[in-house]
Amino acid sequence: MCGIVGYIGNRQAFPILIKGLQRLEYRGYDSAGIALIHNGELNLYKQKGKVADLQRFVEQQDTEGTIGIAHTRWATHGEPNERNAHPHYSQTENLALIHNGIIENYAVIKEMLLEEGYVFRSETDTEVLVQLIDFMQKTNNVCLAEAVQLALSQAVGAYAIAVLEKGNNNQIVAARKGSPLVVGIGKDEFFLASDATPIVEYTDKVVYIGDEEIVTLNRNGEMKIVTISNVEKTPEIKKIEMSLSQLEKGGYPHFMLKEIFEQPKTLADSMRGRINVDANNISLSGFIDNKDKFLNAKRIIITACGTSWHAGLIGKYAFEEFARVPVEVEYSSEFRYRKPVINKDDIVIAISQSGETADTLAAVELAKSKGAFIFGVCNVVGSSIPRATHSGCYTHVGPEIGVASTKAFSAQVLALTMLALLLAKEKETISDDFYIKLINEINLIPIKIKEILKINNELKDFARTFTYAQNFIYLGRAYNYPVAMEGALKLKEISYIHAEGYPAAEMKHGPIALINQEMPVVVIATNAATYEKVVSNIQEIKARKGRIISVVTKGDTIVKNISDYVIEVPATEECLMPILAVIPLQLMAYHIAVAKECNVDQPRNLAKSVTVE
Ligand code: G6P
């Protein structure tokens, strides 16, 4: 969660750090802070609130300095206030540290330090770490990098940290375990960040810091990496392929709206080189290179969190229907702790937009240790999960900045569907005709989404009428059931209206008790094997005076006649409908949240990349 930025070079650090924090603000936004060294002095500036609040606060002050570190926080230990904001000083204000992650054994370390006479100003685990580094430096009389190494050998938990030392204008020391950290290499300058977004406008050369590695960035352009156990590593320079325009709003009022509207393009990008209509084939190198593993798999386990978990559920339906292989879909946070049975001939598919979600990464490591083959479906190239998996398939939708996931979801569903069809084709569990039909249908998805997006203005007006609502129910069956859950999640994430996604038939086992004339019920009732059943479910709601908002296939009359509001989507194959049906639900959630004047891109308490468990 939290975002980290650092700079050392010949330019003024402050503007680079502030801009970097703004780019990383999606990672956490309850407080922010900066540390700069100027004339040997180590100065800290911190503020509760957004990066803009920090910027306003610091503007009147001296922000000189060509070396600095900065942080935007998503609180774990201690409430979001100025005192708990990062950077944290050590006792004598000789060191300043920023941290993303959690030091799990901080209480034990703190007790030891208290006995040594250390006094604490905040409630954070981070302050404990900076004091421990200070303690190590003093008691062992070592340089900063060595003190960091000694301190981290005692720390249990996850971290990406960066440390500055008073009087040392020439060095940033940083390290990571579990939380992401990237170094950007410029000409006689280094950038440091939680991901490449703050770096991209200065350089395309990066080094991804590995787990348990400590990096020292020197002003003379020298960079040194050692592991906590003191093994020196050669930095591996990679090229990032991300453009600045991908990180800007491009005329849209919010990133979320921009990302919803990008979907025709992002899905076409996701298909490029993979869906070939002329050759009637699907090509996924991650599958082709590991075909035998997929063919021999007795079971697939999908693990993910949040929206990615919803995509996983849709994947399950496709794998089971087409490839006839049993699939379990697990919340990563449950999977990693519930002693799951994992066999060597299982395939574990980890889905993650960010590629950094701590629970999913831990689930991957667990499954790997049991000998399973791990396949990643991730978006951020070079992030931790793709690096930890045996193979995978990137979704290639570009940076997703809005905290509520939209374009990543549709591409995850696409990737899983392509994988399921490919496996089914190889296993001969589907006919060639069906395979070809699906390829053609997939190819039409971007055009169909463009069509759906035309209802944006109409949806905007309609959404306003729902700002009063306290609760929403979303219903769907089969492939549309996970879509109902995703629609509900979108709404609650950004509008703070309570919403539940339910399998339509299950409604009568509980949620039906909630229905009255105030209650909006969104039903995804597109053409499907269960269509008639869903119609009956709608009747049950109507009988209790619920207000029906339905998503139907173009040309539908039956559901249309019994709904209060109807949204039409073009027809497609049932397994592809989630990609179309989710679009109006994303738009609806967006417009309700805007009408309620909520912060759509940075909803309260949420973060885009959850790097703590
Ligand atoms: C957070 C985000 C969600 C996302 C989930 C999983 O909760 O706010 O939008 O679905 O993490 O993230 P991942 O990056 O692993 O897909």
Side-chain angles (χ1 to χ4, degrees):
M1 337 273 286
C2 310
I4 282 184
V5 198
Y7 176 78
I8 180 166
N10 299 320
R11 312 186 212 200
Q12 284 300 307
F14 181 74
I16 295 171
L17 296 174
I18 281 287
K19 209 173 203 186
L21 286 184
Q22 278 156 351
R23 297 241 188 267
L24 288 182
E25 208 169 14
Y26 69 88
R27 300 179 67 88
Y29 31 83
D30 59 42
S31 52
I34 285 191
L36 295 162
I37 301 181
H38 184 52
N39 290 335
E41 287 305 313
L42 176 55
N43 303 313
L44 293 199
Y45 311 90
K46 314 201 266 189
Q47 266 303 288
K48 182 182 166 165
K50 307 256 179 207
V51 174
D53 298 312
L54 174 73
Q55 193 174 8
R56 266 191 299 276
F57 166 71
V58 181
E59 245 155 26
Q60 316 304 328
Q61 311 187 40
D62 173 18
T63 56
E64 288 251 345
T66 54
I67 172 171
I69 54 176
H71 186 268
T72 175
R73 181 168 185 248
W74 187 89
T76 58
H77 295 61
E79 69 172 272
N81 57 26
E82 193 206 311
R83 198 158 44 88
N84 290 329
H86 301 209
H88 287 282
Y89 271 136
S90 58
Q91 180 98 334
T92 53
E93 305 192 352
N94 196 47
L95 305 178
L97 177 142
I98 51 176
H99 168 218
N100 168 24
I102 293 181
I103 304 301
E104 287 168 10
N105 60 340
Y106 81 103
V108 185
I109 300 173
K110 188 169 183 176
E111 212 164 291
M112 182 277 283
L113 291 169
L114 285 168
E115 274 170 28
E116 294 290 339
Y118 278 82
V119 178
F120 291 82
R121 305 169 231 227
S122 78
E123 298 139 67
T124 63
D125 52 334
T126 304
E127 191 185 5
V128 173
L129 192 57
V130 69
Q131 302 274 46
L132 182 65
I133 296 170
D134 181 78
F135 175 71
M136 289 298 178
Q137 199 172 17
K138 294 208 169 108
T139 46
N140 297 287
N141 197 18
V142 288
C143 70
L144 178 61
E146 284 170 296
V148 168
Q149 198 174 15
L150 289 170
L152 292 182
S153 63
Q154 298 203 1
V156 176
Y159 50 76
I161 59 163
V163 200
L164 291 184
E165 184 180 31
K166 185 174 175 175
N168 186 352
N169 196 35
N170 294 321
Q171 215 170 49
I172 301 178
V173 177
R176 79 157 263 190
K177 183 182 172 195
S179 304
L181 196 61
V182 190
V183 172
I185 304 172
K187 195 174 172 312
D188 299 326
E189 61 185 351
F190 289 114
F191 305 84
L192 184 75
S194 299
D195 66 33
T197 51
I199 296 175
V200 68
E201 60 192 284
Y202 308 106
T203 176
D204 61 358
K205 281 191 277 173
V206 293
V207 173
Y208 294 100
I209 305 304
D211 259 349
E212 306 212 340
E213 287 180 0
I214 299 162
V215 58
T216 306
L217 304 173
N218 293 303
R219 188 174 287 281
N220 63 7
E222 217 177 73
M223 165 182 190
K224 188 177 172 195
I225 302 180
V226 288
T227 64
I228 292 179
S229 44
N230 213 22
V231 180
E232 192 158 347
K233 292 270 175 109
T234 314
E236 210 182 301
I237 300 174
K238 300 238 159 98
K239 197 167 180 287
I240 35 170
E241 279 164 21
M242 192 192 286
S243 68
L244 201 54
S245 64
Q246 288 178 307
L247 303 175
E248 321 240 285
K249 286 189 200 143
Y252 288 91
H254 298 100
F255 280 111
M256 184 178 174
L257 190 63
K258 175 187 173 222
E259 287 159 7
I260 294 173
F261 268 80
E262 271 174 353
Q263 287 174 102
K265 179 180 179 300
T266 53
L267 285 165
D269 290 344
S270 266
M271 286 174 207
R272 190 157 302 120
R274 294 167 168 175
I275 291 289
N276 188 335
V277 180
D278 298 329
N280 286 328
N281 100 45
I282 300 177
S283 168
L284 286 178
S285 57
F287 175 87
I288 294 161
D289 298 345
N290 301 284
K291 199 161 85 182
D292 289 345
K293 294 248 185 266
F294 277 93
L295 288 175
N296 296 329
K298 300 264 180 322
R299 178 176 66 155
I300 293 176
I301 301 170
I302 297 180
T303 185
C305 305
T307 287
S308 300
W309 183 79
H310 293 155
L313 285 178
I314 296 166
K316 171 188 164 83
Y317 286 45
F319 276 111
E320 293 195 339
E321 179 178 357
F322 304 132
R324 307 306 296 152
V325 56
V327 181
E328 289 165 24
V329 187
E330 300 261 7
Y331 284 118
S332 306
S333 53
E334 287 298 307
F335 181 68
R336 63 181 289 197
Y337 284 121
R338 67 163 187 78
K339 299 198 174 47
V341 178
I342 307 166
N343 302 313
K344 288 201 168 42
D345 49 14
D346 285 336
I347 290 190
V348 173
I349 301 181
I351 312 172
S352 175
Q353 185 285 128
S354 63
E356 298 294 349
T357 301
D359 283 320
T360 306
L361 185 57
V364 163
E365 297 297 355
L366 172 71
K368 217 157 89 174
S369 73
K370 304 283 179 205
F373 178 75
I374 323 290
F375 190 90
V377 175
C378 297
N379 188 41
V380 178
V381 176
S383 54
S384 300
I385 294 171
R387 283 188 289 139
T389 50
H390 296 116
S391 180
C393 158
Y394 279 116
T395 44
H396 289 312
V397 299
E400 192 181 63
I401 314 274
V403 165
S405 185
T406 52
K407 62 177 179 174
F409 173 78
S410 49
Q412 288 165 344
V413 176
L414 172 71
L416 294 167
T417 311
M418 290 192 291
L419 203 55
L421 290 172
L422 210 43
L423 180 58
K425 168 84 166 54
E426 289 296 331
K427 288 180 82 176
E428 298 182 1
T429 46
I430 52 171
S431 69
D432 284 354
D433 285 354
F434 183 71
Y435 182 68
I436 294 168
K437 188 172 169 205
L438 258 291
I439 290 173
N440 283 289
E441 269 306 321
I442 290 175
N443 194 46
L444 294 173
I445 291 282
I447 298 172
K448 293 184 178 178
I449 295 183
K450 264 192 195 153
E451 185 70 32
I452 300 171
L453 289 169
K454 288 186 189 152
I455 58 166
N456 182 46
N457 283 337
E458 191 191 314
L459 264 183
K460 184 174 168 182
D461 296 337
F462 156 73
R464 272 189 236 284
T465 59
F466 285 101
T467 48
Y468 76 89
Q470 305 277 330
N471 293 291
F472 259 76
I473 292 185
Y474 286 69
L475 301 175
R477 290 183 85 150
Y479 285 95
N480 285 335
Y481 158 47
V483 181
M485 288 202 281
E486 176 58 11
L489 180 66
K490 285 293 85 82
L491 186 70
K492 71 184 133 197
E493 278 180 316
I494 59 171
S495 74
Y496 318 137
I497 295 173
H498 171 249
E500 274 188 68
Y502 242 76
E506 267 297 301
M507 182 199 56
K508 56 183 152 315
H509 299 290
I512 201 163
L514 300 171
I515 289 171
N516 58 21
Q517 62 270 39
E518 303 271 279
M519 177 69 123
V521 182
V522 180
V523 189
I524 304 136
T526 49
N527 286 350
T530 51
Y531 177 80
E532 272 84 26
K533 309 275 174 206
V534 176
V535 172
S536 309
N537 300 139
I538 296 176
Q539 297 289 12
E540 291 156 11
I541 303 161
K542 274 266 54 105
R544 282 144 190 102
K545 301 198 165 49
R547 294 181 66 186
I548 310 281
I549 303 154
S550 57
V551 178
V552 299
T553 311
K554 211 171 192 149
D556 180 287
T557 49
I558 300 171
V559 173
K560 207 170 186 174
N561 284 338
I562 49 175
S563 300
D564 296 280
Y565 188 82
V566 181
I567 301 164
E568 287 189 334
V569 294
T572 188
E573 281 297 317
E574 194 175 340
C575 65
L576 297 175
M577 189 47 94
I579 306 181
L580 300 186
V582 79
I583 309 285
L585 305 187
Q586 293 170 343
L587 283 172
M588 201 171 94
Y590 170 80
H591 287 302
I592 293 177
V594 171
K596 287 189 74 183
E597 295 179 9
C598 297
N599 186 336
V600 175
D601 284 334
Q602 294 168 351
R604 72 179 177 214
N605 303 340
L606 296 180
K608 179 114 194 108
S609 181
V610 182
T611 52
V612 295
E613 58 170 294

